[in-house]
């Protein structure tokens, strides 16, 4: 009896709900029939405007990927070195001064900056010489540099102790050693100063400066700073070449390696820029 009662109750509820279901289905079909062609077109246009197109989706994906790349690359505008495409004096001056004022120069007052401010007179007339920046091109670059400046770098004469004619500032000792490989033609008649760590001790470098006349030297910013402070090294008639074109394994330059850039900024503020203003020291880029 109990199961019979449940069966009848279930059947009663279904029969009670069926008319309502049929009524709702009839209303939906009538609503679809009542739509006019104009309304259908307007509804379709609205849906098309609301849904993004395939082109929009592709553009959004590209923007998302670009943002991810920027996050991975670090600070914007800091990946590329400030090296001019030509060797025009104005471009060289702009690259050197901009690199300094974006770093340590921010901490200096206008008066302090004016005391060491450079102009085109303090930049060497570098040649329009296209090169790859590897060690094989350094000798040709120096020859062209001497010609552009009116100096005989091929057969230098009248060399004095502690007074090099050319000094190349590199970002690392490894880079300096690499460039020395390309300076074979300058090794015959004169010595080359090696003013960087992991090669010679400070005492040996000091003795070299005091005892040997040399035409050319290579140095890193930190070691050069120390030698200028404690030795008679004189750059008053020297062309200081900043090696800005080289990149290390991490694609960093002398301007983007933090510890090297800090040492270079100190060198420029306390040594190179004042010497350029007060004497005939000149700056150039490689």
């Amino acid at each position: 009896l109990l199961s019979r009662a449940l069966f009848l109750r279930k059947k009663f509820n279904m029969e009670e709900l069926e008319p309502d279901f049929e009524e709702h289905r009839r209303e939906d079909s009538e609503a679809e029939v009542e739509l006019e062609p104009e309304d259908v077109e307007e509804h379709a246009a609205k849906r098309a405007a609301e849904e993004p197109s395939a082109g929009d989706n592709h553009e959004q994906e590209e923007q998302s990927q670009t943002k991810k790349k920027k996050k991975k690359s670090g600070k914007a505008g800091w990946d590329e070195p400030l090296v001019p495409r030509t060797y025009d004096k104005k471009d060289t001056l702009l690259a050197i001064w901009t690199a300094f004022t974006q770093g340590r120069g921010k901490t200096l007052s206008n008066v302090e900056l004016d005391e060491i401010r450079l102009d085109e007179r303090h930049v060497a007339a570098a040649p329009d010489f296209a090169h790859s920046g590897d060690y094989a091109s350094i000798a040709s670059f120096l020859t062209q540099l001497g010609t552009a400046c009116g100096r005989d770098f091929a057969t230098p004469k009248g060399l004095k102790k502690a007074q090099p004619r050319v000094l190349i500032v590199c970002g690392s000792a490894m880079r300096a050693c690499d460039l020395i490989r390309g300076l074979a033609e300058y090794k015959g008649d004169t010595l080359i100063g090696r003013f960087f760590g992991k090669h010679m001790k400070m005492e040996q470098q000091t003795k070299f400066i005091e005892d040997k006349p040399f035409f050319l030297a290579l140095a890193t910013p930190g070691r050069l700073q120390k030698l200028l402070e404690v030795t008679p090294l004189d750059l008053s008639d020297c062309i200081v070449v900043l090696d800005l074109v080289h990149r290390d394994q991490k694609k960093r330059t002398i301007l983007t390696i933090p510890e090297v850039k800090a040492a270079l900024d100190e060198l420029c503020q306390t040594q190179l820029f004042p010497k350029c203003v007060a004497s005939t020291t000149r700056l150039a880029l490689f």
Side-chain angles (χ1 to χ4, degrees):
L1 290 175
L2 180 60
S3 60
R4 179 65 176 172
L6 291 174
F7 173 78
L8 292 174
R9 183 179 178 182
K10 183 177 180 181
K11 181 177 181 183
F12 174 77
N13 289 339
M14 290 299 295
E15 290 174 352
E16 185 178 13
L17 292 173
E18 281 181 2
D20 294 336
F21 175 74
E22 291 295 333
E23 183 178 354
H24 286 300
R25 188 171 63 179
R26 194 180 304 111
E27 288 177 358
D28 292 341
S29 61
E30 288 175 358
E32 291 178 0
V33 173
E34 287 176 0
L35 287 175
E36 297 294 334
E38 294 80 359
D39 297 333
V40 173
E41 293 178 0
E42 183 179 355
H43 181 66
K46 286 182 179 179
R47 291 190 62 181
E50 291 175 356
E51 294 179 357
S53 63
D56 293 337
N57 288 333
H58 182 66
E59 184 177 353
Q60 290 176 0
E61 289 178 1
E62 287 184 347
Q63 292 176 355
S64 177
Q65 291 176 359
T66 303
K67 288 181 180 179
K68 290 181 181 179
K69 288 181 180 179
K70 286 184 178 179
K71 288 181 180 179
K72 291 181 180 179
S73 63
K75 296 181 181 179
W78 191 244
D79 293 334
E80 294 300 324
L82 295 173
V83 181
R85 294 180 178 275
T86 64
Y87 288 95
D88 181 81
K89 273 192 172 186
K90 184 181 296 184
D91 292 333
T92 302
L93 175 64
L94 178 64
I96 295 173
W97 187 252
T98 300
F100 176 74
T101 54
Q102 286 181 351
R104 191 179 182 122
K106 290 182 178 180
T107 64
L108 303 181
S109 66
N110 291 333
V111 175
E112 291 173 319
L113 285 174
D114 288 338
E115 290 177 352
I116 57 173
R117 190 177 299 277
L118 304 180
D119 56 40
E120 293 185 20
R121 295 174 300 170
H122 306 128
V123 178
D128 185 10
F129 176 71
H131 62 85
S132 61
D134 61 0
Y135 75 91
S137 59
I138 184 63
S140 298
F141 171 80
L142 291 179
T143 301
Q144 296 292 332
L145 177 63
T147 302
C149 297
R151 302 188 184 189
D152 185 9
F153 286 173
T155 56
K157 299 178 182 178
L159 298 178
K160 300 179 181 180
K161 299 176 183 179
Q163 294 184 7
R165 304 285 177 82
V166 179
L167 191 147
I168 303 173
V169 180
C170 304
S172 67
M174 185 179 297
R175 169 61 173 173
C177 290
D178 189 42
L179 289 180
I180 290 175
R181 294 168 55 198
L183 295 171
E185 63 185 80
Y186 289 98
K187 294 179 183 178
D189 300 328
T190 181
L191 299 174
I192 296 179
R194 294 167 172 83
F195 304 149
F196 43 86
K198 300 180 181 180
H199 182 77
M200 295 175 66
K201 296 181 179 180
M202 279 280 294
E203 294 77 8
Q204 294 174 313
Q205 293 167 342
T206 300
K207 183 173 177 56
F208 178 89
I209 292 171
E210 294 173 345
D211 296 344
K212 307 290 184 181
F214 58 100
F215 160 73
L216 174 66
L218 292 92
T220 51
R223 180 57 61 92
L224 179 59
Q225 175 76 29
K226 293 178 182 178
L227 290 172
L228 287 169
E229 292 173 350
V230 301
T231 70
L233 182 61
D234 183 7
L235 304 181
S236 59
D237 191 30
C238 180
I239 297 178
V240 180
V241 181
L242 304 182
D243 177 29
L244 301 189
V245 70
H246 175 68
R247 296 188 178 210
D248 64 7
Q249 293 179 349
K250 296 181 180 180
K251 305 299 182 183
R252 301 179 303 176
T253 71
I254 196 173
L255 299 182
T256 56
I257 303 173
E259 60 274 15
V260 176
K261 179 61 166 60
L264 180 62
D265 281 349
E266 183 181 2
L267 178 67
C268 288
Q269 180 189 352
T270 61
Q271 299 291 341
L272 298 186
F273 290 176
K275 292 180 185 302
C276 286
V277 174
S279 65
T280 56
T281 303
R282 295 295 177 261
L283 299 177
L285 298 179
F286 175 63

